Amino acid sequence: QVQLVESGGGLVQAGGSLRLSCAASGRTFSSYAMGWFRQAPGKEREFVAGISWSGGNTYYSNSVKGRFTISRDNAKNTVYLQMNSLKPEDTAVYYCAATNLLIATMTLNEYDYWGQGTQVTVSS
């Protein structure tokens, strides 16, 4: 079992930055690939970024590529999402998720554990 707790969300002006954190419980954090997803009101949950178990491979959706950076610290059981140049369309609840796969996937159903989410609101 893995429990995930996100933090770092908030209200920011367009062009600003936020860093989300996701703290994981359990001693096997390093064996999971991790992903960040987001869900805006009235929309489906979508993939944002993913990182392999070692951190050696990262993946991004086209909408955030070049602006967001995913990273992980296996010693701290934490995955991060650095979000720069934020836009109003980035407004959503952001979720971190863990998959038993060693390489992150964009497919929502392949993730086994989810956090409760953290709200990010970008004002124009």
Side-chain angles (χ1 to χ4, degrees), residues 11-27:
L11 174 64
V12 64
Q13 289 188 333
S17 298
L18 282 173
R19 188 174 83 152
L20 305 183
S21 299
C22 173
S25 65
R27 295 177 293 174

Side-chain angles (χ1 to χ4, degrees), residues 12-110:
V12 64
Q13 289 188 333
S17 298
L18 282 173
R19 188 174 83 152
L20 305 183
S21 299
C22 173
S25 65
R27 295 177 293 174
T28 59
F29 173 74
S30 61
S31 65
Y32 293 91
M34 300 295 295
W36 284 97
F37 289 76
R38 67 187 181 187
Q39 188 166 18
K43 295 188 176 181
E44 293 185 352
R45 194 171 298 189
E46 64 174 1
F47 173 82
V48 174
I51 188 166
S52 62
W53 69 276
S54 66
N57 298 93
T58 56
Y59 314 88
Y60 299 93
S61 68
N62 288 335
S63 61
V64 307
K65 196 173 296 182
R67 300 187 298 122
F68 290 11
T69 302
I70 188 171
S71 61
R72 67 189 296 162
D73 185 337
N74 286 343
K76 295 183 178 180
N77 282 11
T78 303
V79 63
Y80 305 96
L81 185 68
Q82 177 68 43
M83 306 186 295
N84 298 329
S85 302
L86 283 161
K87 304 175 182 180
E89 51 263 45
D90 294 319
T91 295
V93 178
Y94 283 71
Y95 300 89
C96 74
T99 173
N100 283 298
L101 303 175
L102 296 180
I103 297 178
T105 170
M106 297 175 60
T107 305
L108 186 149
N109 291 340
E110 292 184 332

